[in-house]
Structures are given as C-alpha cells and as structure tokens.
Amino acid sequence: MKPEKFILLILFALTILFTNCRNEKSEEVGDLVFHSLIAEKDTIAPGETVKIKAIATGTTLKYFWTATLGDILGSGAEVIYAASPCSASKNRITCRIESGSRSETKTVDIVVYE
C-alpha cells in the first residue's frame, strides 16, 4: 500500500471515530435533587393556613403531599397547609418528589397551638 493511501485511510478512520464520539452530558429522566422543604411559619393557630414550598431540580417532577392532621390545599411544588380546629399539636407535613424511577422525601413540622 502506498504511503499516501495509508495516510488517507488513517485520516478517514479518525474522522469517523471522532464524529461518532460525542462528549455531551445529557440529563436523564430521573435526575433529581430535593434541595429543601420550607414553611412560611412553623407555628399557627387552628383554622390558619401556611404556605409550604418544595425546592427541587430534575425532570418531570411529580409531587405527593401528606399531613398527619389538617389539610393540604393545592398541588405541585407549592401548597397551602390548613390546620383543622382539632389539629392542635405538632403536625408533620411530608413531600415526596418523584422523577423517573427516583424519589426523595422531606418533612417539615408545623405546631398548631390551642
């Protein structure tokens, strides 16, 4: 094989190799970081409400909220917790966030005084 053809063959092979190799970082569905769960106030009276916000990053985030007593109003990253008249105590609000096959959970306590 002539040296010119050999060099062209090598250059062709390297071109194909580097064209097909991509050095990209793609975010997969399921990348999830649950940074914090924040309540505007941590103590309220029965019948009062407080805004609670979940701060997270990722793709296709789904939020699931629960409360030991009282009601969760709304959905998504920001909800309202409404203390019922009979919920005087420390109430735990839980937010579980799912993204793809990953999930993370955080809680915040709201004291409802009499």
Side-chain angles (χ1 to χ4, degrees), residues 4-71:
E4 297 85 20
K5 287 185 179 181
F6 182 73
I7 291 173
L8 285 174
L9 183 62
I10 297 261
L11 288 174
F12 179 73
L14 288 174
T15 303
I16 290 175
L17 178 68
F18 288 117
T19 304
N20 289 329
C21 293
R22 296 190 180 164
N23 199 7
E24 297 174 8
K25 181 183 183 280
S26 62
E27 186 173 320
E28 296 179 18
V29 171
D31 289 350
L32 168 65
V33 178
F34 194 161
H35 300 284
S36 60
L37 185 62
I38 302 169
E40 283 185 326
K41 298 187 276 185
D42 62 0
T43 304
I44 60 175
E48 280 191 297
T49 62
V50 62
K51 189 185 318 182
I52 303 174
K53 185 175 185 176
I55 300 171
T57 55
T59 55
T60 61
L61 300 178
K62 296 178 184 175
Y63 298 83
F64 302 91
W65 295 87
T66 59
T68 52
L69 290 172
D71 297 306

Side-chain angles (χ1 to χ4, degrees), residues 91-109:
N91 297 296
R92 179 153 288 174
I93 314 318
T94 303
C95 178
R96 180 172 51 87
I97 301 177
E98 292 181 357
S99 179
S101 62
R102 296 203 50 217
S103 72
E104 289 189 33
T105 302
K106 291 196 180 296
T107 62
V108 65
D109 292 329

